[in-house]
Amino acid sequence: MIRRWIGAAMFGLLCGLLAWQVALANFPTVLMRLAVGRIASQGGAINAFVHAPLVTAKSRAIVRPSPDLLYSSCPYDVSSAPLLIDAVPVDAPYWSLSIFDAQTNAVFVRNNQGGLAPLKVAVIGPGQAAPAGYRSVPVKGARGVALIRILIDRGAPITAIDAARRATRCRLAG
């Protein structure tokens, strides 16, 4: 009788481990799919930057945003063509461009610590190539998010910083 229970317990443990592995493998992709959809619904577009307003206590699009940062995000889909990002770093205490793939991996990060030179980045899917003049950033999966964060002084006017961040563009090649 104990052997029967040991066999059933081992089978249950094996099923639990298998379910755990399936959940771990799929959770990042599902999470990014939800994030891309939510960001795109806020701005009404995919493959275009959405420039979020200043953070308030009610701002909760995906996670708790920092009230000291301005956010711009470009939900992308590179299934048909590469995504071209023409980034213009902002002269602020801190500026960064991060690109996340379909599994929530940060595949590219640049900030203004290295200077304010414009960046030309091509987010490419399998079998795609970056156009001349663009740095190639390969991603796993077709969908993800490019995110810009700018540290601001909430006591100072942000009009110039807001205008400068809107110079950054993302669009599909072609």
Side-chain angles (χ1 to χ4, degrees):
M1 177 139 149
I2 291 178
R3 284 186 178 191
R4 189 179 335 164
W5 283 108
I6 290 175
M10 293 302 285
F11 179 72
L13 181 62
L14 180 65
C15 288
L17 287 172
L18 182 62
W20 178 59
Q21 284 298 317
V22 168
L24 282 179
N26 291 311
F27 184 72
T29 304
V30 171
L31 184 65
M32 184 56 77
R33 207 175 295 141
L34 291 170
V36 167
R38 185 174 250 178
I39 293 168
S41 70
Q42 287 179 337
I46 198 155
N47 301 322
F49 269 104
V50 175
H51 303 286
L54 277 174
V55 171
T56 67
K58 295 181 181 181
S59 301
R60 297 286 184 267
I62 295 174
V63 295
R64 290 184 177 179
S66 169
D68 297 325
L69 295 175
L70 277 178
Y71 296 93
S72 295
S73 52
C74 175
Y76 66 80
D77 184 342
V78 294
S79 57
S80 62
L83 178 81
L84 304 180
I85 300 174
D86 296 301
V88 181
V90 174
D91 190 13
Y94 181 78
W95 173 96
S96 71
L97 167 65
S98 303
I99 300 172
F100 300 91
D101 70 8
Q103 296 178 330
T104 70
N105 298 312
V107 294
F108 179 86
V109 178
R110 286 296 176 273
N111 61 41
N112 63 345
Q113 303 302 308
L116 296 174
L119 301 169
K120 290 181 165 278
V121 178
V123 179
I124 60 169
Q128 296 175 345
Y134 283 84
R135 178 183 171 157
S136 177
V137 176
V139 293
K140 290 182 182 176
R143 300 185 96 188
V145 174
L147 178 65
I148 291 177
R149 290 174 274 218
I150 304 168
L151 180 63
I152 59 168
D153 176 0
R154 287 189 69 98
I158 64 159
T159 310
I161 290 176
D162 187 44
R165 76 174 168 149
R166 293 173 187 274
T168 294
R169 302 271 183 253
C170 70
R171 69 192 187 294
L172 285 182

